[in-house]
Amino acid sequence: MKLVDTYGRVATDLRVSLTDRCNLRCTYCMPEEGLQWLAKPDLLTDDEIVRLIRVAVTTLGVDEVRFTGGEPLLRPGLTGIVQRVAELDPRPEMSLTTNGIGLGRIAPALKEAGLDRVNVSLDTLRPEVFKALTRRDRHHDVLAGLAAARDAGLTPVKVNAVLMPGFNEDEAPDLLAWAVENDYELRFIEQMPLDAQHGWKRDGMVTAGDILTSLRTRFALTPEGDTARGSAPAERWLVDGGPHRVGVIASVTRPFCAACDRTRLTADGQVRTCLFATEETDLRGALRSGAPDEEIARIWRTAMWGKKAGSGLDDPTFLQPARPMSAIGG
């Protein structure tokens, strides 16, 4: 029996947070001093992660696995986890979302282990803006990581960019021109309320409409339409007739909850039915108490059955999740 909710949605895409730690301090994610990291005993072990993914894939119908963080490249056993998941039958499609730091070194090993592709976060082409946004001078490392991923065959390499007033709101056309030149697929993401400081303000955000207006000053955009989109979070457009595409994930202004097919597993073994959920369901406790796979699957199904209709982002009174994005996986 699959992961079905009361609205008829079926979760087939599993997002797995491998760690809450990160080597950047992005202003829209966490404070400069960092956060209180999870204690090592609270984190799932490599064996526990692989077991939960196995239950999801072989029993619950999951066919896509995305490794996230924090920063997943900081997980010491990452390549081993990827290799073990690649050996599952059926084999799920595997991707990874990363800030790109260290990707230049590990990209070939990840490809050899069985990873299919990567999403790399990069919000600006300007090193000084990158440093202001992330509080780290590592822009060159991200560019090197992107090139290494492309050369290793972790394609399509997708680049995720968040535009913010006062930093990079004017860069949309430049980012797209650069992505086309380097054969990356660019996706703009509306800034979401996932920062630990709870400083997000709806009124100040750069919207999907703003982004598209800016892009159309330089490019002709042809919508792919809902049929091509399916359950993907990004609306996509052909750039100047194709073949290159650009996507916009409008989580705030154009919610896509009705087509959501995701289930999420935090680094400490909690099921989250939505990135913005305020409740979690514990799988780690069941694992460590000796529960069989059938019981793990039952708990997971029950959690997903209670998934809400929407994220609540379209509600002006929306309250942010208690845990920041670094703790629950992007």
Side-chain angles (χ1 to χ4, degrees):
M1 183 175 176
K2 296 185 177 182
L3 293 170
V4 183
D5 65 34
T6 54
Y7 298 92
R9 295 169 297 192
V10 180
T12 58
D13 184 338
L14 170 61
R15 307 296 170 97
V16 182
S17 175
L18 298 179
T19 178
D20 61 329
R21 296 175 183 265
C22 190
N23 43 15
L24 297 180
R25 295 293 181 269
C26 296
T27 57
Y28 52 79
C29 185
M30 69 173 72
E32 187 171 4
E33 64 274 14
L35 298 168
Q36 183 69 42
W37 307 124
L38 292 167
K40 187 173 182 180
D42 293 335
L43 292 170
L44 293 176
T45 66
D46 292 0
D47 287 345
E48 288 171 335
I49 289 171
V50 173
R51 182 183 172 194
L52 289 175
I53 294 174
R54 176 172 55 79
V55 170
V57 170
T58 63
T59 304
L60 298 174
V62 164
D63 56 22
E64 294 182 48
V65 176
R66 170 85 61 86
F67 298 108
T68 69
E71 174 44 55
L73 297 187
L74 296 179
R75 178 86 186 198
L78 173 60
T79 54
I81 292 171
V82 170
Q83 183 174 2
R84 292 169 68 184
V85 174
E87 293 169 352
L88 294 176
D89 184 17
R91 180 200 186 282
E93 179 182 338
M94 286 186 293
S95 59
L96 179 143
T97 295
T98 172
N99 62 29
I101 296 175
L103 187 57
R105 170 182 50 82
I106 200 174
L110 288 173
K111 179 64 177 179
E112 184 177 355
L115 192 71
D116 295 302
R117 62 174 187 82
V118 295
N119 287 34
V120 179
S121 298
L122 181 64
D123 303 320
T124 179
L125 299 177
R126 305 167 186 164
E128 70 279 7
V129 175
F130 181 92
K131 186 175 181 179
L133 277 170
T134 67
R135 305 184 179 105
R136 298 291 187 270
D137 189 12
R138 306 296 297 272
H139 190 259
H140 58 288
D141 291 317
V142 180
L143 295 180
L146 278 161
R150 181 190 59 207
D151 295 344
L154 292 170
T155 54
V157 175
K158 296 183 180 181
V159 178
N160 296 338
V162 177
L163 300 184
M164 301 204 310
F167 288 98
N168 61 343
E169 74 270 28
D170 62 334
E171 284 198 64
D174 290 341
L175 279 164
L176 182 52
W178 165 82
V180 168
E181 180 182 354
N182 288 278
D183 201 24
Y184 304 140
E185 184 173 323
L186 181 62
R187 305 193 311 173
F188 292 99
I189 304 175
E190 287 184 335
Q191 185 186 1
M192 295 178 285
L194 291 167
D195 59 306
Q197 312 92 292
H198 290 192
W200 176 84
K201 290 182 175 58
R202 185 185 303 269
D203 293 343
M205 63 175 289
V206 179
T207 68
D210 298 332
I211 294 166
L212 292 170
T213 296
S214 179
L215 291 176
R216 285 181 171 125
T217 63
R218 197 183 305 180
F219 302 95
L221 302 181
T222 306
E224 280 196 323
D226 292 340
T227 301
R229 180 182 184 183
S231 61
E235 296 179 75
R236 298 199 308 179
W237 286 261
L238 292 173
V239 179
D240 291 339
H244 291 96
R245 294 168 172 81
V246 63
V248 178
I249 299 177
S251 301
V252 179
T253 61
R254 303 179 190 177
F256 41 85
C257 301
C260 181
D261 64 350
R262 288 163 206 79
T263 183
R264 299 176 181 272
L265 184 64
T266 68
D268 55 350
Q270 310 299 305
V271 170
R272 294 181 67 89
T273 60
C274 174
L275 189 60
F276 303 98
T278 56
E279 299 174 349
E280 298 175 337
T281 300
D282 181 29
L283 291 185
R284 184 189 63 197
L287 276 176
R288 295 182 180 178
S289 66
D293 288 356
E294 294 77 11
E295 177 63 9
I296 299 296
R298 185 196 66 78
I299 296 171
W300 207 330
R301 288 191 193 101
T302 301
M304 293 305 296
W305 182 253
K307 182 173 182 173
K308 295 181 179 179
S311 65
L313 279 175
D314 51 349
D315 183 350
T317 63
F318 172 80
L319 296 176
Q320 295 184 220
R323 295 215 273 176
M325 181 164 56
S326 62
I328 59 181

